[in-house]
Structure formats: C-alpha cells, structure tokens
Amino acid sequence: DRLRAYCSCIFALSWKKMQFTPQQLTGGPKFNHKTRIGNWSEDLELEEIKLKDYLKKKETGSLIVTAKQQQLESCLKQDELSSSSDGLLHFGMKAMLVNHQSKGALSVNPFDVVTKSHTAYMITTSPIGSPCLRNVFLIERADPGDGFDDDVLHYGQNLRIKLCPFSEISTDAYLHSEMVTGLAAAKFSRHQEVTALTVPSGETLWQALYPDTTARFEMDGEPVQAGAPLVMRHVQTGSFLASDEIPYHNIFGVEFEVHCFHYYSLGKSQNLVGEMKGEITGDYALRKHGLPNIWSFLTDGGMVGDQTAKPEADA
C-alpha cells in the first residue's frame, strides 16, 4: 500500500512539473513518445500539430517548396522570339539580348525589387538559353521623329528595351541605368547599376553602336543586323551596358551581374599622333571594347554567321 501511494504521488507530481530525460536535458537524441518516458504526451501532441500544420499548408499551397515552384513557373513560361525576313532588326520585334562574356541572356528577377523613384527590378544575365517571359524584350522606338523613315533599327538611333508584364511585374518595364551614387550602385562591382524601371524616362534611353571603334563613325546610321555583335550605350551617362562573370545568387540559381562600365582595352592607339597628323579628331573612340561590353540581339533566326563573340585584339 505504501508503494502504491508513493507511485501515485510521483505520478501526480509529474503532471504538475514537466519531466525531462537526461538525453533531452543535454540536447541529445530523445526517446520516442511511444516509450512513455519524459514528456511523451507533449511530444505526441507536438507531432500531431506539426502534421496538421503541414497538411494545411500543402492544401493552401503555402509550403516554401510549393511557393518557389510557383514563382519559377510564372517566370519560366516559354515565350516566342520574332523572326526577321530581311535579317535586320525592326522596332516591335521580340528578341533576347545575349552577352558575349558571361554567355548569358539579359533577364529580370521580378522578386528582387530595387528602391527607386518608381518600382524597379534587378537585372542579371542568366545561362538559361531558351526564350521565356523574363528574358525576352521588345525593341521600342524612343522618338518617331528621329529622322529615319523606316522601322528598322539603325546604329546610333535612340531606342528603349521594354519588358512585357509577367508574374509580379504588372506594367511594362524598361531597361534603366543612372549615375553611381552612395545609394545607387551595382551590388558587387559597384559600377553603374542597371535595373528594369516601370516608367519610361530619359534614363531608359539607349543606343546600339558598332562594336569596332575604328569603323564606328562610318557605320553610324546603318541598319543593324539581327544577331550581329554590338555595344549598348546609355544615352544619359554615356556608359556602356556590360556583364562580367560576377556570380549573383537569386531564386533562379547562380547568374551574373549586369552593370554599365567602359571595358576598354589598355593598349595605346597613338591618339595624339593621329590628331597631330589630322587623321582623326578628339571625338574618335579608338580603344577597343572588351567582351563584357559586347551584346547581340538574338531573334528566331539565331546569330549571324561568324560575327559572334570574337575578342578584339588590342591596337
């Protein structure tokens, strides 16, 4: 009888004060609740609560894995590129802008919002080669009265690179850049930041220029071939769109940073001697562009023959 009374007392006290096994106190592995030792009742209740919570999130689609899958599906839906019958780039065409250094396509991350005067989204170059909603852009004419009569894109002509709405982006977004400040700079390189801004402005104007600086003056005003290498000059700052192999981790994996910077060669091209002889003027840009500055508008017809991604030799 005394033993029974003692056991009853111990059982009553165990309900008033939580009991822990030595393994639980030291943070080690604990017994299963089926062993009826320690807080077996609380452990059983906790397992049931976790299961109910998991099933509820699974039904509502709020699991982290499910949410990420939905985000990827909304961005990676296949899109179509425009085809060019004459091999030239026309305004209104859908194309991918591919960099020759990172070998990735210019892409927008709708889940990486940048603080600007208007809503903006981060730009990277992605190794995903298939056209999808986040890497297909529309070539838009900036000024209908720019002096060109046709709808063909010409070297030196102002344009805007527009992204159509998808996923979290509810309005048209335009490729944008601005001067480097204490609050606006590329995340890793600290060069000029490039984003997709939801409002067209003077900071969303670009020019496609011939990549060879020695023939740029002669090629100014000529039609741009689809898939041909070119450099994209930001009109307001005069800097050039670039992408180097700088890893940028996001929801899509490891991509590469996009910024604006002059990747000129370090070779001396005897500019002063040429100016003294009257062969050139100070307006000539004679230093070669590096591969980070070289881009191509990729259409349904692909790139142009052997003009793709060849590094220029220093003068």
Side-chain angles (χ1 to χ4, degrees):
D1 292 339
R2 290 183 181 180
L3 182 59
R4 290 180 180 178
Y6 177 76
C7 291
S8 301
C9 255
I10 294 298
F11 183 76
L13 289 174
S14 66
W15 281 100
K16 294 180 180 179
K17 184 178 180 181
M18 296 179 65
Q19 301 294 318
F20 295 92
T21 63
Q23 291 85 354
Q24 289 176 324
L25 291 174
T26 56
K30 59 183 180 179
F31 288 99
N32 192 284
H33 58 79
K34 294 181 180 179
T35 59
R36 299 294 189 270
I37 190 171
N39 296 327
W40 62 270
S41 180
E42 290 82 353
D43 291 340
L44 178 61
E45 188 70 22
L46 182 61
E47 292 294 331
E48 292 179 355
I49 292 174
K50 286 181 178 179
L51 179 60
K52 292 179 181 178
D53 185 52
Y54 168 76
L55 294 176
K56 182 178 179 181
K57 287 183 177 180
K58 186 177 180 180
E59 290 177 359
T60 57
S62 57
L63 287 173
I64 296 178
V65 175
T66 308
K68 183 176 180 180
Q69 183 179 359
Q70 292 174 350
Q71 290 176 345
L72 293 176
E73 289 178 353
S74 66
C75 298
L76 300 179
K77 290 181 181 178
Q78 188 175 1
D79 201 357
E80 293 184 357
L81 299 175
S82 301
S83 59
S84 178
S85 58
D86 55 1
L88 303 177
L89 286 176
H90 295 260
F91 290 109
M93 291 181 63
K94 286 186 174 182
M96 295 170 60
L97 195 54
V98 180
N99 184 261
H100 289 207
Q101 173 70 12
S102 64
K103 297 178 178 59
L106 195 72
S107 306
V108 179
N109 184 359
F111 309 106
D112 191 355
V113 182
V114 186
T115 303
K116 300 287 181 185
S117 57
H118 299 86
T119 307
Y121 303 91
M122 186 54 64
I123 294 278
T124 54
T125 50
S126 171
I128 299 175
S130 58
C132 57
L133 295 177
R134 66 183 296 251
N135 62 15
V136 174
F137 295 84
L138 190 140
I139 305 173
E140 185 179 89
R141 193 167 191 165
D143 182 13
D146 51 15
F148 295 96
D149 298 331
D150 51 12
D151 66 340
V152 177
L153 175 64
H154 299 80
Y155 288 113
Q157 187 177 7
N158 287 358
L159 74 149
R160 285 191 173 95
I161 302 174
K162 184 174 76 173
L163 182 76
C164 298
F166 75 99
S167 187
E168 301 296 318
I169 304 177
S170 57
T171 59
D172 293 335
Y174 300 85
L175 192 65
H176 163 272
S177 187
E178 59 183 331
M179 293 291 292
V180 176
T181 64
L183 299 176
K187 186 174 182 180
F188 299 107
S189 64
R190 307 309 295 173
H191 293 318
Q192 198 168 301
E193 188 178 37
V194 177
T195 57
L197 193 70
T198 53
V199 175
S201 64
E203 295 177 339
T204 59
L205 291 176
W206 300 84
Q207 289 178 345
L209 301 180
Y210 195 69
D212 187 0
T213 54
T214 59
R216 180 172 296 171
F217 182 79
E218 291 79 2
M219 292 297 295
D220 192 41
E222 293 295 323
V224 181
Q225 286 188 323
L230 49 83
V231 293
M232 297 299 301
R233 177 180 175 271
H234 188 235
V235 174
Q236 190 171 82
T237 61
S239 190
F240 292 90
L241 185 66
S243 178
D244 205 349
E245 295 177 347
I246 303 173
Y248 195 109
H249 296 263
N250 56 26
I251 189 176
F252 302 97
V254 181
E255 299 186 337
F256 301 107
E257 183 186 88
V258 175
H259 50 264
C260 280
F261 186 72
H262 299 77
Y263 283 94
Y264 283 136
S265 66
L266 301 178
K268 296 180 180 179
S269 52
Q270 306 296 330
N271 294 24
L272 295 179
V273 175
E275 291 182 28
M276 182 184 67
K277 293 180 179 180
E279 298 174 353
I280 60 173
T281 64
D283 297 331
Y284 279 74
L286 298 180
R287 286 196 295 168
K288 308 294 183 181
H289 282 282
L291 281 183
N293 284 140
I294 309 298
W295 300 80
S296 290
F297 277 106
L298 184 62
T299 59
D300 193 30
M303 289 192 174
V304 176
D306 56 354
Q307 292 185 345
T308 59
K310 288 186 179 180
E312 299 182 26
D314 294 348

